[in-house]
Amino acid sequence: MGDVYRALADPTRRALLDELRKRGDQTLFELCVRLTATHGVSSSRQAISQHLDVLEAAGLVVTRRQGRFKYHDLDTSPLRAVVERWPLPE
């Protein structure tokens, strides 16, 4: 679970998760364009790719390959585990 907190600690990674929540199944190129246009993030493609690797290692992003493209999608199951561990008061 520690990887989830480390992954969420970075604002660029949180912006990536926001973009994947808005629209899943995005390529690295699409995510780079959306980060620049929506969040003003000007990181290189390689830097964004490394952020996606961290998110994938934490289980927050799942990927699939189709031809030459790699598509990224949000997986919220690690976040559900956090909420189940510390549920909100009713």
mmCIF file of all heavy atoms in Angstrom, residues 52-83:
data_model
loop_
_atom_site.group_PDB
_atom_site.id
_atom_site.type_symbol
_atom_site.label_atom_id
_atom_site.label_comp_id
_atom_site.label_asym_id
_atom_site.label_seq_id
_atom_site.Cartn_x
_atom_site.Cartn_y
_atom_site.Cartn_z
ATOM 1 N N LEU A 52 3.980 7.417 -15.359
ATOM 2 C CA LEU A 52 3.014 6.337 -15.626
ATOM 3 C C LEU A 52 3.536 4.996 -15.106
ATOM 4 O O LEU A 52 2.767 4.177 -14.598
ATOM 5 C CB LEU A 52 2.702 6.256 -17.119
ATOM 6 C CG LEU A 52 1.798 7.377 -17.648
ATOM 7 C CD1 LEU A 52 1.802 7.383 -19.169
ATOM 8 C CD2 LEU A 52 0.382 7.237 -17.110
ATOM 9 N N ASP A 53 4.847 4.780 -15.213
ATOM 10 C CA ASP A 53 5.444 3.543 -14.682
ATOM 11 C C ASP A 53 5.242 3.450 -13.169
ATOM 12 O O ASP A 53 4.952 2.375 -12.638
ATOM 13 C CB ASP A 53 6.935 3.473 -15.018
ATOM 14 C CG ASP A 53 7.196 3.196 -16.487
ATOM 15 O OD1 ASP A 53 6.261 2.767 -17.197
ATOM 16 O OD2 ASP A 53 8.335 3.425 -16.930
ATOM 17 N N VAL A 54 5.407 4.577 -12.476
ATOM 18 C CA VAL A 54 5.209 4.596 -11.017
ATOM 19 C C VAL A 54 3.752 4.284 -10.691
ATOM 20 O O VAL A 54 3.462 3.491 -9.786
ATOM 21 C CB VAL A 54 5.629 5.970 -10.426
ATOM 22 C CG1 VAL A 54 5.233 6.072 -8.955
ATOM 23 C CG2 VAL A 54 7.127 6.184 -10.590
ATOM 24 N N LEU A 55 2.834 4.896 -11.438
ATOM 25 C CA LEU A 55 1.407 4.651 -11.208
ATOM 26 C C LEU A 55 1.044 3.197 -11.509
ATOM 27 O O LEU A 55 0.243 2.593 -10.793
ATOM 28 C CB LEU A 55 0.565 5.602 -12.068
ATOM 29 C CG LEU A 55 0.635 7.079 -11.670
ATOM 30 C CD1 LEU A 55 -0.001 7.953 -12.747
ATOM 31 C CD2 LEU A 55 -0.036 7.299 -10.321
ATOM 32 N N GLU A 56 1.650 2.639 -12.539
ATOM 33 C CA GLU A 56 1.376 1.238 -12.883
ATOM 34 C C GLU A 56 1.936 0.312 -11.802
ATOM 35 O O GLU A 56 1.271 -0.649 -11.404
ATOM 36 C CB GLU A 56 1.985 0.909 -14.249
ATOM 37 C CG GLU A 56 1.577 -0.464 -14.748
ATOM 38 C CD GLU A 56 2.092 -0.758 -16.149
ATOM 39 O OE1 GLU A 56 2.791 0.091 -16.738
ATOM 40 O OE2 GLU A 56 1.776 -1.847 -16.647
ATOM 41 N N ALA A 57 3.115 0.614 -11.289
ATOM 42 C CA ALA A 57 3.706 -0.205 -10.221
ATOM 43 C C ALA A 57 2.859 -0.163 -8.952
ATOM 44 O O ALA A 57 2.807 -1.143 -8.205
ATOM 45 C CB ALA A 57 5.128 0.265 -9.933
ATOM 46 N N ALA A 58 2.190 0.962 -8.715
ATOM 47 C CA ALA A 58 1.314 1.098 -7.542
ATOM 48 C C ALA A 58 -0.053 0.465 -7.776
ATOM 49 O O ALA A 58 -0.867 0.413 -6.863
ATOM 50 C CB ALA A 58 1.158 2.573 -7.186
ATOM 51 N N GLY A 59 -0.311 0.023 -8.993
ATOM 52 C CA GLY A 59 -1.589 -0.606 -9.313
ATOM 53 C C GLY A 59 -2.688 0.376 -9.649
ATOM 54 O O GLY A 59 -3.853 -0.006 -9.777
ATOM 55 N N LEU A 60 -2.336 1.660 -9.800
ATOM 56 C CA LEU A 60 -3.344 2.675 -10.088
ATOM 57 C C LEU A 60 -3.610 2.837 -11.578
ATOM 58 O O LEU A 60 -4.604 3.454 -11.969
ATOM 59 C CB LEU A 60 -2.911 4.026 -9.501
ATOM 60 C CG LEU A 60 -2.878 4.064 -7.976
ATOM 61 C CD1 LEU A 60 -2.102 5.268 -7.489
ATOM 62 C CD2 LEU A 60 -4.301 4.075 -7.426
ATOM 63 N N VAL A 61 -2.728 2.328 -12.401
ATOM 64 C CA VAL A 61 -2.880 2.395 -13.857
ATOM 65 C C VAL A 61 -2.636 1.002 -14.424
ATOM 66 O O VAL A 61 -1.704 0.312 -14.014
ATOM 67 C CB VAL A 61 -1.892 3.414 -14.472
ATOM 68 C CG1 VAL A 61 -1.838 3.294 -15.985
ATOM 69 C CG2 VAL A 61 -2.269 4.830 -14.073
ATOM 70 N N VAL A 62 -3.505 0.606 -15.322
ATOM 71 C CA VAL A 62 -3.315 -0.645 -16.050
ATOM 72 C C VAL A 62 -3.080 -0.297 -17.515
ATOM 73 O O VAL A 62 -3.563 0.727 -18.005
ATOM 74 C CB VAL A 62 -4.527 -1.602 -15.909
ATOM 75 C CG1 VAL A 62 -4.630 -2.105 -14.493
ATOM 76 C CG2 VAL A 62 -5.810 -0.930 -16.343
ATOM 77 N N THR A 63 -2.317 -1.136 -18.185
ATOM 78 C CA THR A 63 -1.992 -0.851 -19.581
ATOM 79 C C THR A 63 -2.312 -2.072 -20.448
ATOM 80 O O THR A 63 -2.391 -3.198 -19.953
ATOM 81 C CB THR A 63 -0.497 -0.517 -19.758
ATOM 82 O OG1 THR A 63 0.273 -1.627 -19.330
ATOM 83 C CG2 THR A 63 -0.112 0.707 -18.958
ATOM 84 N N ARG A 64 -2.506 -1.773 -21.711
ATOM 85 C CA ARG A 64 -2.655 -2.849 -22.698
ATOM 86 C C ARG A 64 -2.007 -2.361 -23.989
ATOM 87 O O ARG A 64 -1.996 -1.164 -24.283
ATOM 88 C CB ARG A 64 -4.119 -3.220 -22.920
ATOM 89 C CG ARG A 64 -4.922 -2.156 -23.609
ATOM 90 C CD ARG A 64 -6.350 -2.605 -23.899
ATOM 91 N NE ARG A 64 -7.100 -1.503 -24.450
ATOM 92 C CZ ARG A 64 -7.112 -1.140 -25.730
ATOM 93 N NH1 ARG A 64 -6.405 -1.842 -26.593
ATOM 94 N NH2 ARG A 64 -7.811 -0.113 -26.143
ATOM 95 N N ARG A 65 -1.440 -3.297 -24.697
ATOM 96 C CA ARG A 65 -0.808 -2.962 -25.976
ATOM 97 C C ARG A 65 -1.731 -3.353 -27.115
ATOM 98 O O ARG A 65 -2.393 -4.394 -27.079
ATOM 99 C CB ARG A 65 0.510 -3.695 -26.120
ATOM 100 C CG ARG A 65 1.590 -3.147 -25.259
ATOM 101 C CD ARG A 65 2.967 -3.509 -25.827
ATOM 102 N NE ARG A 65 4.002 -2.836 -25.086
ATOM 103 C CZ ARG A 65 4.443 -1.599 -25.372
ATOM 104 N NH1 ARG A 65 3.955 -0.964 -26.402
ATOM 105 N NH2 ARG A 65 5.378 -1.040 -24.651
ATOM 106 N N GLN A 66 -1.765 -2.477 -28.101
ATOM 107 C CA GLN A 66 -2.497 -2.775 -29.327
ATOM 108 C C GLN A 66 -1.650 -2.254 -30.471
ATOM 109 O O GLN A 66 -1.531 -1.039 -30.659
ATOM 110 C CB GLN A 66 -3.885 -2.130 -29.316
ATOM 111 C CG GLN A 66 -4.712 -2.501 -30.527
ATOM 112 C CD GLN A 66 -6.140 -1.972 -30.424
ATOM 113 O OE1 GLN A 66 -6.571 -1.552 -29.368
ATOM 114 N NE2 GLN A 66 -6.856 -1.996 -31.525
ATOM 115 N N GLY A 67 -1.031 -3.165 -31.191
ATOM 116 C CA GLY A 67 -0.131 -2.758 -32.271
ATOM 117 C C GLY A 67 1.056 -2.003 -31.700
ATOM 118 O O GLY A 67 1.691 -2.455 -30.755
ATOM 119 N N ARG A 68 1.307 -0.837 -32.249
ATOM 120 C CA ARG A 68 2.430 -0.024 -31.795
ATOM 121 C C ARG A 68 2.090 0.828 -30.583
ATOM 122 O O ARG A 68 2.956 1.490 -30.026
ATOM 123 C CB ARG A 68 2.878 0.902 -32.930
ATOM 124 C CG ARG A 68 3.433 0.179 -34.136
ATOM 125 C CD ARG A 68 3.827 1.126 -35.236
ATOM 126 N NE ARG A 68 4.672 2.197 -34.728
ATOM 127 C CZ ARG A 68 4.660 3.436 -35.202
ATOM 128 N NH1 ARG A 68 3.856 3.768 -36.170
ATOM 129 N NH2 ARG A 68 5.453 4.357 -34.699
ATOM 130 N N PHE A 69 0.828 0.836 -30.183
ATOM 131 C CA PHE A 69 0.387 1.746 -29.136
ATOM 132 C C PHE A 69 0.182 1.033 -27.804
ATOM 133 O O PHE A 69 -0.216 -0.127 -27.756
ATOM 134 C CB PHE A 69 -0.917 2.441 -29.549
ATOM 135 C CG PHE A 69 -0.757 3.277 -30.784
ATOM 136 C CD1 PHE A 69 -1.187 2.804 -32.008
ATOM 137 C CD2 PHE A 69 -0.146 4.511 -30.718
ATOM 138 C CE1 PHE A 69 -1.021 3.560 -33.149
ATOM 139 C CE2 PHE A 69 0.026 5.274 -31.859
ATOM 140 C CZ PHE A 69 -0.413 4.801 -33.083
ATOM 141 N N LYS A 70 0.431 1.772 -26.734
ATOM 142 C CA LYS A 70 0.197 1.290 -25.379
ATOM 143 C C LYS A 70 -0.860 2.202 -24.762
ATOM 144 O O LYS A 70 -0.673 3.422 -24.688
ATOM 145 C CB LYS A 70 1.504 1.362 -24.571
ATOM 146 C CG LYS A 70 1.404 0.795 -23.186
ATOM 147 C CD LYS A 70 2.785 0.860 -22.513
ATOM 148 C CE LYS A 70 2.764 0.292 -21.121
ATOM 149 N NZ LYS A 70 4.086 0.404 -20.469
ATOM 150 N N TYR A 71 -1.958 1.604 -24.344
ATOM 151 C CA TYR A 71 -3.080 2.370 -23.794
ATOM 152 C C TYR A 71 -3.087 2.260 -22.272
ATOM 153 O O TYR A 71 -2.829 1.183 -21.726
ATOM 154 C CB TYR A 71 -4.406 1.852 -24.363
ATOM 155 C CG TYR A 71 -4.542 2.115 -25.832
ATOM 156 C CD1 TYR A 71 -4.092 1.200 -26.768
ATOM 157 C CD2 TYR A 71 -5.097 3.310 -26.280
ATOM 158 C CE1 TYR A 71 -4.201 1.451 -28.122
ATOM 159 C CE2 TYR A 71 -5.210 3.570 -27.634
ATOM 160 C CZ TYR A 71 -4.756 2.633 -28.549
ATOM 161 O OH TYR A 71 -4.862 2.891 -29.895
ATOM 162 N N HIS A 72 -3.385 3.376 -21.626
ATOM 163 C CA HIS A 72 -3.391 3.452 -20.161
ATOM 164 C C HIS A 72 -4.814 3.682 -19.678
ATOM 165 O O HIS A 72 -5.570 4.440 -20.283
ATOM 166 C CB HIS A 72 -2.505 4.616 -19.696
ATOM 167 C CG HIS A 72 -1.107 4.512 -20.200
ATOM 168 N ND1 HIS A 72 -0.742 4.921 -21.456
ATOM 169 C CD2 HIS A 72 -0.003 4.019 -19.627
ATOM 170 C CE1 HIS A 72 0.544 4.693 -21.633
ATOM 171 N NE2 HIS A 72 1.030 4.146 -20.527
ATOM 172 N N ASP A 73 -5.125 3.043 -18.556
ATOM 173 C CA ASP A 73 -6.453 3.216 -17.970
ATOM 174 C C ASP A 73 -6.323 3.258 -16.454
ATOM 175 O O ASP A 73 -5.381 2.699 -15.885
ATOM 176 C CB ASP A 73 -7.374 2.061 -18.391
ATOM 177 C CG ASP A 73 -8.827 2.475 -18.424
ATOM 178 O OD1 ASP A 73 -9.165 3.579 -17.947
ATOM 179 O OD2 ASP A 73 -9.637 1.683 -18.930
ATOM 180 N N LEU A 74 -7.278 3.913 -15.804
ATOM 181 C CA LEU A 74 -7.282 4.059 -14.349
ATOM 182 C C LEU A 74 -7.814 2.793 -13.691
ATOM 183 O O LEU A 74 -8.786 2.202 -14.161
ATOM 184 C CB LEU A 74 -8.174 5.258 -13.981
ATOM 185 C CG LEU A 74 -8.379 5.553 -12.504
ATOM 186 C CD1 LEU A 74 -7.067 5.963 -11.847
ATOM 187 C CD2 LEU A 74 -9.416 6.657 -12.336
ATOM 188 N N ASP A 75 -7.174 2.392 -12.599
ATOM 189 C CA ASP A 75 -7.657 1.281 -11.777
ATOM 190 C C ASP A 75 -7.759 1.806 -10.345
ATOM 191 O O ASP A 75 -6.749 2.104 -9.714
ATOM 192 C CB ASP A 75 -6.701 0.097 -11.851
ATOM 193 C CG ASP A 75 -7.195 -1.104 -11.050
ATOM 194 O OD1 ASP A 75 -8.251 -0.992 -10.386
ATOM 195 O OD2 ASP A 75 -6.527 -2.136 -11.077
ATOM 196 N N THR A 76 -8.960 1.932 -9.830
ATOM 197 C CA THR A 76 -9.154 2.526 -8.505
ATOM 198 C C THR A 76 -9.146 1.492 -7.378
ATOM 199 O O THR A 76 -9.335 1.874 -6.225
ATOM 200 C CB THR A 76 -10.488 3.302 -8.460
ATOM 201 O OG1 THR A 76 -11.558 2.411 -8.773
ATOM 202 C CG2 THR A 76 -10.480 4.476 -9.421
ATOM 203 N N SER A 77 -8.901 0.243 -7.684
ATOM 204 C CA SER A 77 -8.963 -0.773 -6.623
ATOM 205 C C SER A 77 -7.982 -0.512 -5.476
ATOM 206 O O SER A 77 -8.344 -0.749 -4.314
ATOM 207 C CB SER A 77 -8.807 -2.172 -7.200
ATOM 208 O OG SER A 77 -7.619 -2.299 -7.908
ATOM 209 N N PRO A 78 -6.759 -0.006 -5.699
ATOM 210 C CA PRO A 78 -5.893 0.308 -4.550
ATOM 211 C C PRO A 78 -6.478 1.409 -3.666
ATOM 212 O O PRO A 78 -6.273 1.415 -2.455
ATOM 213 C CB PRO A 78 -4.581 0.756 -5.190
ATOM 214 C CG PRO A 78 -4.582 0.142 -6.536
ATOM 215 C CD PRO A 78 -6.024 0.149 -6.964
ATOM 216 N N LEU A 79 -7.214 2.341 -4.261
ATOM 217 C CA LEU A 79 -7.822 3.415 -3.463
ATOM 218 C C LEU A 79 -8.976 2.872 -2.633
ATOM 219 O O LEU A 79 -9.204 3.314 -1.504
ATOM 220 C CB LEU A 79 -8.301 4.546 -4.373
ATOM 221 C CG LEU A 79 -7.200 5.206 -5.205
ATOM 222 C CD1 LEU A 79 -7.794 6.248 -6.133
ATOM 223 C CD2 LEU A 79 -6.155 5.831 -4.299
ATOM 224 N N ARG A 80 -9.697 1.904 -3.186
ATOM 225 C CA ARG A 80 -10.778 1.282 -2.414
ATOM 226 C C ARG A 80 -10.215 0.573 -1.186
ATOM 227 O O ARG A 80 -10.820 0.592 -0.125
ATOM 228 C CB ARG A 80 -11.560 0.304 -3.296
ATOM 229 C CG ARG A 80 -12.639 1.024 -4.086
ATOM 230 C CD ARG A 80 -13.536 0.057 -4.828
ATOM 231 N NE ARG A 80 -13.249 0.272 -6.240
ATOM 232 C CZ ARG A 80 -12.836 -0.642 -7.090
ATOM 233 N NH1 ARG A 80 -12.726 -1.881 -6.733
ATOM 234 N NH2 ARG A 80 -12.560 -0.331 -8.328
ATOM 235 N N ALA A 81 -9.049 -0.026 -1.312
ATOM 236 C CA ALA A 81 -8.421 -0.697 -0.171
ATOM 237 C C ALA A 81 -8.096 0.307 0.935
ATOM 238 O O ALA A 81 -8.235 -0.008 2.121
ATOM 239 C CB ALA A 81 -7.154 -1.422 -0.628
ATOM 240 N N VAL A 82 -7.695 1.524 0.554
ATOM 241 C CA VAL A 82 -7.415 2.574 1.546
ATOM 242 C C VAL A 82 -8.702 2.967 2.262
ATOM 243 O O VAL A 82 -8.735 3.071 3.493
ATOM 244 C CB VAL A 82 -6.776 3.808 0.857
ATOM 245 C CG1 VAL A 82 -6.687 4.979 1.823
ATOM 246 C CG2 VAL A 82 -5.401 3.454 0.310
ATOM 247 N N VAL A 83 -9.775 3.162 1.510
ATOM 248 C CA VAL A 83 -11.058 3.571 2.102
ATOM 249 C C VAL A 83 -11.614 2.462 2.988
ATOM 250 O O VAL A 83 -12.189 2.737 4.054
ATOM 251 C CB VAL A 83 -12.068 3.960 0.998
ATOM 252 C CG1 VAL A 83 -13.454 4.195 1.568
ATOM 253 C CG2 VAL A 83 -11.577 5.194 0.271
#
